[in-house]
Amino acid sequence: MKKEFVCIVCPNSCRITAEYDGWEIKHIEGAQCKKGEEFIRNEIKNPLRIFTGSVKCKNGNYQLVSVKTNKPIPKKYMKQVAQKTHELVLEAPVEIGQVIISDILGQHADLVATRKVKEKN
Amino acid sequence: MKKNTEDRFDVIVIGAGVVGCSIARELSRFKVKVAVLEKESDVGWGSSCRNSGVIHAGFNNKPGTLMAKYCVEGNQKFHSIAQELDVPFKKTGKLVVAKKNNEITGLKKLKRQGELNGVKNLEIIGEQEIKKLEPNVRGVAALLSPETAITSPYLYTIALAENALKNGVRFYLNTEVENIKKKTSGEFFLKTQNKQFIADYLINSTGVYCDEIARMAGIDCYRIYPCRGEYYVLDKNASSLMNHLIYPVPHIEEGGLGIHLTPTVDGNVLIGPSNEYIDINKRNDYAVTMEVLFKLCKEAQEFLPAISPRYFIRNYAGIRSKQTPPSQGGYKDYVIEESEEAPNMISLIGIESPGLTAAYPIAKKVVSMIDQKEKLTPNPHFNPYRKGILRFEEQDDETKKELVEENSDYGEVICRCEQVTKKEILEAIDNPLGARSLISIKYRSRAMMGRCQGGYCQTRILELLKEKYNYNWNDFLLRGSGSYMLTGNRSNGEPGI
Amino acid sequence: MINKDVVIIGGGAAGLAAAVACREKGIEDILIIERESNLGGILKQCIHDGFGLIKFQHSYTGPEYAQKYIDQVQEHGIEFLLDSMVIDITSQKVLTVVNKSGLKKYRAKSIILAMGCRERTRGAIGIPGTRPAGIYTAGVAQNLINIHNYMIGKEVVILGSGDIGLIMARRLMLEGAIVKMVLELLPYGSGLPRNFNQCLADYDIPLHLNHTVIDIKGQKRIEAITMAKVDSKGKVIESTCQEISCDTLLLSVGLIPENELSKMAGIQLDPLTGGALVDEYGQTTINGIFTCGNVLQVHDIVDNVSLEAEHIANGVERYLSSLLKPKNSIKIEIGPGLRYVLPQHIQYLDDTVFSFRVKKPGNKKQIIFRNDNRIIKKKSFIRVNPAEMIRIKLTSSELSDIKHLKVELN
């Protein structure tokens, strides 16, 4: 099978053409870097994405702490992770990188804070 | 069983447009118990906030008509009313511009008509003088009317209502009259969704709905043909393109004054209105249409070639309450009368342009009709003065400095385009009529009215409402009930279903 | 009157990077004026990732990217004012600033304008129809959802395929709304290609190119829009009109540099960019007033904003040391196929980064810098796309003894 992909790894947005049979890649063309090839391998086998979202936060200078998974997770789990973010309430202060949920949904990635939230004065 | 409360008034005014609010204010000069019923969530949301904001001089109307008489009188009185009510008023003057020589006779006719009506200082000027007054405008001759002025039609309506309220008039917003019955005692019985009212006198000042309300009271002789006018609002940057109101020579059969350019008191420019009759069942349809927007731009460019779509910041439409059908066009004079079918009910029919200018004389007329029958007693406590919201932007640096020192809310600029401070927005939110839709706050404060259309300040205003009134997501309304802005909290921090 | 060496208007990506770069060049007396309660500008609400790949070779979210600069501003002890609005600015570099503590005037030796941009609205593009609730620009929606914890609708149509619109399509889907479609007037998307993939394709959201909204229905809350196909001239094809029910219309139809203060100061603007006319140091038509970031030109990638801001700091430093001496003013000529080129003119012939956008997408293209017939620099591209700003650096040696400079797309 032959398919064109748009790489999402960086703003270059390389158009990468891949020929593959099942999960086995026969030929890759158009990637400007190694990361692009890796992206295609995953895209064919098990597409991975970074999840980003936000979690409610009490007593802070922001109402929401923005969060992300610190590693890409299978794209099929995105909505489930989103659901998790709706069910949580954090308490300020929160630091960037603070783990909110470790090993989220057993996907070997932690949900971490991406916003510094100070206590409301 | 649902329990309804009944409220009894000497006079009930149906419709809180500029005319209804003027009548309410004029009545409050007397010892009369008055209520104003309005179906919308604020005053002035019909034609009163959907026009050019012009205080006409009075040369467009046929001599001898009420339109002509009230327009001239209203123009002459407006300055003092605006001062009493702290409403913006600018005597910019108007040019009716002939694009071709064959339109000059039209100008002369207008001038003669105006003079018959009692309009002062009309003058026909040539191409050279047009260039001097308006370097960007194209035309061969023009009628210059220095008496023509502009105001803020919604601030005027709000001011009238606030002053009436202060002088004892009761306002019922979100109160649509569903049924009118004349009791054997001669009193009127009005049914609305939540409340019932009883009144000795009824004033029908419902604009484009006047025939419907009349019919509820058993009067079936009025016909209204709604006629929509669409507008573009231009960025303040366009205000340097012109100084006067710029009008074409009107074609009377069209029933409008032609697409014109009007500076607003806030420094924007309006293009419009168009003139399209619409279906009677669509008289609340304020939609703008693609064809007309295109036409507005094209016709405006004929006078002012510098006009371009890059100035556009918003569009809107208003609906004229016309008594003449499309086949006939033109104007039919205002009807202000008490009909035999419903004694003590005063109908105001076909109050289209120049209704804003004429509102005051119309109100005087209505009050005199009641006074003739009832010999009204003056209200010794009547106070004609009302203060508007102080505009931070319009003050000099020294005053601005003092204002911030006095109240630090003046130091927080919430709307950057119009430079509206937190203090002004809080005053707008806290308005005496209790209208808290975003549009109500916008009309009162000018926040969200600028070139970014609330892109920056809208979320901040929602926060202020939340802080002050503890608003939940479902309390935020754009324009009255049903116009909800949000559909929920993103997260309540609770497990989903 | 308070004197300052450098006043920076705006504490977003551009302002923060400019402040840090100025300090690192040894400028002590810097003041950042920010109108919001927190530094970071629009990055605060851009909670998605993909920021920093050029600058840091790492993908950060907006708040993380901003925090990197906020930390540096604080480490350097750079002075900043929050909740403060510049309400006036003169050509003499006097600024009037208002905040809760009062109204103050500042006299700056140099000013950096970094006010960012605003979104084009419904009124500006003149969409016909009624004016009910439920019509939001994508950025306002992003703010309401990501900062204020509100949901803005359940059934959404998006007009315009700008990046914020695409990012919001995904956000809305993840937050439980349904995005029915994205309509784009042009025959190609306006956002970055990767966003069409990870924001639309991932969530099966259809993108309709050559389509627009020609009517809005609903009196109180929006109930439906009418979509229609347009021909190659942008004219609506009546037979393709179709009503789509929705309770929300999101607009992602372009950004406009916010140059109201620049105009107040009397700075000349370029109608092609909506930003100021500048030289190679981002210096405007008023000496000592510089500009960078989205107020100069709308960027697609924040990394380029930071780089641009860092570059102009060189100019600010030289200006303050009176080392900014024009050699030869050369106006840059824009060849066919390009929408604009920045800077519009160069006058010092130092190393210069040119940035520009093409008019329409193309494959196998070349950008050529030419001094009359002599080619100074040539760069090849597999693809070019109006959504992707191109930046090319010319060194001072490449620019030496040129008389005329033209940039072409071939």
Side-chain angles (χ1 to χ4, degrees), chain C residues 30 33 48 59 78 117 127 185 251 283 350:
Chain C
I30 304 169
I33 302 173
H48 55 283
S59 174
I78 297 170
C117 57
I127 307 176
L185 182 73
L251 302 175
Q283 185 175 228
D350 295 334

Side-chain angles (χ1 to χ4, degrees), chain A residues 6 15 49 52 86 115, chain C residues 44 171 175 197 202 383:
Chain A
V6 176
R15 267 69 156 191
R49 299 287 183 267
T52 59
H86 291 170
R115 191 195 300 288
Chain C
K44 297 194 297 288
R171 174 96 278 123
E175 301 296 357
N197 188 5
D202 273 6
R383 291 181 325 273

Side-chain angles (χ1 to χ4, degrees), chain A:
Chain A
M1 198 173 151
K2 196 171 173 179
K3 199 176 159 189
E4 196 193 80
F5 296 84
V6 176
C7 178
I8 63 164
V9 175
C10 84
N12 282 342
S13 301
C14 291
R15 267 69 156 191
I16 304 174
T17 315
E19 266 186 78
Y20 56 97
D21 188 4
W23 290 353
E24 192 195 335
I25 293 175
K26 305 270 188 209
H27 182 68
I28 282 194
E29 201 179 282
Q32 292 177 48
C33 76
K34 282 259 186 292
K35 282 183 186 169
E37 291 186 15
E38 193 192 321
F39 170 76
I40 299 307
R41 269 178 242 289
N42 285 323
E43 211 56 12
I44 289 165
K45 200 166 153 188
N46 181 19
L48 300 175
R49 299 287 183 267
I50 296 274
F51 170 87
T52 59
S54 51
V55 171
K56 214 176 162 182
C57 180
K58 275 190 192 163
N59 305 321
N61 64 333
Y62 284 93
Q63 297 175 45
L64 295 169
V65 176
S66 53
V67 296
K68 69 174 181 188
T69 53
N70 60 357
K71 282 183 212 129
I73 58 163
K75 138 174 136 175
K76 60 186 175 208
Y77 289 115
M78 299 288 274
K79 284 203 174 174
Q80 269 173 276
V81 176
Q83 189 52 48
K84 289 273 174 218
T85 63
H86 291 170
E87 296 170 3
L88 284 173
V89 183
L90 301 174
E91 192 90 29
V94 178
E95 287 297 328
I96 288 178
Q98 186 176 321
V99 176
I100 311 293
I101 302 175
S102 59
D103 191 19
I104 190 156
L105 301 171
Q107 294 305 311
H108 313 293
D110 299 335
L111 192 72
V112 299
T114 60
R115 191 195 300 288
K116 180 177 177 146
V117 181
K118 289 184 268 187
E119 268 176 285
K120 209 187 252 174
N121 35 10

Side-chain angles (χ1 to χ4, degrees), chain B residues 225 252-254 277 323-332:
Chain B
Y225 303 91
I252 193 84
E253 65 286 356
E254 281 176 10
Y277 279 96
Q323 298 182 79
T324 47
S327 57
Q328 189 184 335
Y331 294 88
K332 185 167 178 280

Side-chain angles (χ1 to χ4, degrees), chain A residues 9 50 68, chain C residues 49-53 56-61 64 194:
Chain A
V9 175
I50 296 274
K68 69 174 181 188
Chain C
D49 71 325
F51 300 90
L53 285 156
F56 303 107
Q57 290 76 51
H58 189 284
S59 174
Y60 292 107
T61 63
E64 289 172 305
R194 62 173 172 157

